[in-house]
Amino acid sequence: MPTSTYIPNGATAESLGAGIDRTITPNHEPRVFFFDIDNTLYPKDSGIPDLMREKIEKYFEDAGFERGDVQTLSYRYYIDYGLAIRGLVLHHPEIDIRDYDKKVDGALPLEEILHENIPLRDMIKSMNIEKKWLFTNAGKEHAERVIKCLGLEGLFDGLTYCDYNDKAFTCKPDADSFHKAMREAGVVHPSNCYFVDDAAANCDKAMDIGWTAVHVADDPVVSNYGHFQIASIMELPKVLPEFWEKSKEAKEN
């Protein structure tokens, strides 16, 4: 498959990022790279999104929603709130979030679908940045399962996730969720935040806040979300080469 990283004609990855302030702040605050998990660290064609959709719709049906309304409602909640479960919690407080988590995320056969990804591990491990942080709309248990399946344990400094035990939890693309991630990662200045995600709305919000955003798009040529658009997480070094350049120099020396 040909490389599908999208950089406009006449531009380079370096020139596109020339206007982004990437300097370390005077108080030596660390730069943080925030990684989305689902459909970003593994491809959308894994089959997991379809399985997730099926389980969400079944949960809606089992909860008493009319079958003809299930697809429309679950999709509307996803678009409006970033997560179908967020819409359920807001509009149907009788829903047991932990039961939802168990029957949807917890029921996914991740161990049968996802496998160790050594090239991805090597790429993330070789990044020259102060902190690498996971930032997901999933619950903690699901996030940890995915990371374990992909063989990425031990690479990240922390995890910002949706705490389903808190009925007031926030999720991307809410600005509050981004600010929560910054607090948990120990970064104050948006210019020190970098982000990769497959959801266009999340990339837009990250840009609004002042982060540098990379969109893992179905079609990078068509997407205009984020500062950069790539087809695969493995293309990150092509659009943000500064995070790998020193590692390469170190190897040569």
Side-chain angles (χ1 to χ4, degrees), residues 3-158:
T3 299
S4 46
T5 305
Y6 176 58
I7 298 176
N9 291 334
T12 64
E14 291 78 6
S15 66
L16 275 176
I20 301 170
D21 182 7
R22 297 196 176 111
T23 58
I24 298 293
T25 53
N27 63 355
H28 302 292
E29 178 180 84
R31 297 168 301 171
V32 182
F33 206 111
F34 293 92
F35 291 82
D36 175 47
I37 296 179
D38 291 300
N39 303 322
T40 296
L41 294 183
Y42 61 82
K44 286 184 179 179
D45 62 9
S46 65
I48 292 175
D50 292 333
L51 285 173
M52 176 76 78
R53 189 178 306 110
E54 291 172 8
K55 292 186 181 300
I56 289 173
E57 291 176 0
K58 184 177 187 308
Y59 191 88
F60 271 63
E61 287 183 23
D62 292 345
F65 293 91
E66 292 292 333
R67 185 163 190 166
D69 297 334
V70 165
Q71 285 188 346
T72 301
L73 194 60
S74 62
Y75 180 73
R76 193 185 84 204
Y77 285 168
Y78 170 76
I79 294 298
D80 290 348
Y81 304 109
L83 280 177
I85 183 57
R86 187 72 185 116
L88 277 176
V89 169
L90 290 174
H91 297 286
H92 310 276
E94 71 279 6
I95 294 294
D96 184 341
I97 302 179
R98 285 165 293 188
D99 182 59
Y100 173 94
D101 188 34
K102 177 181 178 181
K103 294 179 179 177
V104 178
D105 285 2
L108 292 170
L110 298 178
E111 290 77 9
E112 298 174 13
I113 299 172
L114 300 177
H115 306 287
E116 183 179 18
N117 188 333
I118 294 177
L120 176 59
R121 180 179 178 83
D122 289 344
M123 184 195 75
I124 295 174
K125 186 176 181 180
S126 66
M127 285 183 75
N128 178 45
I129 192 168
E130 290 73 38
K131 284 188 178 181
K132 304 163 192 174
W133 201 272
L134 294 165
F135 181 20
T136 178
N137 272 356
K140 183 178 181 181
E141 184 177 344
H142 173 84
E144 291 177 341
R145 285 178 66 203
V146 172
I147 295 305
K148 183 176 181 179
C149 288
L150 293 174
L152 304 180
E153 293 175 298
L155 294 183
F156 302 97
D157 296 284

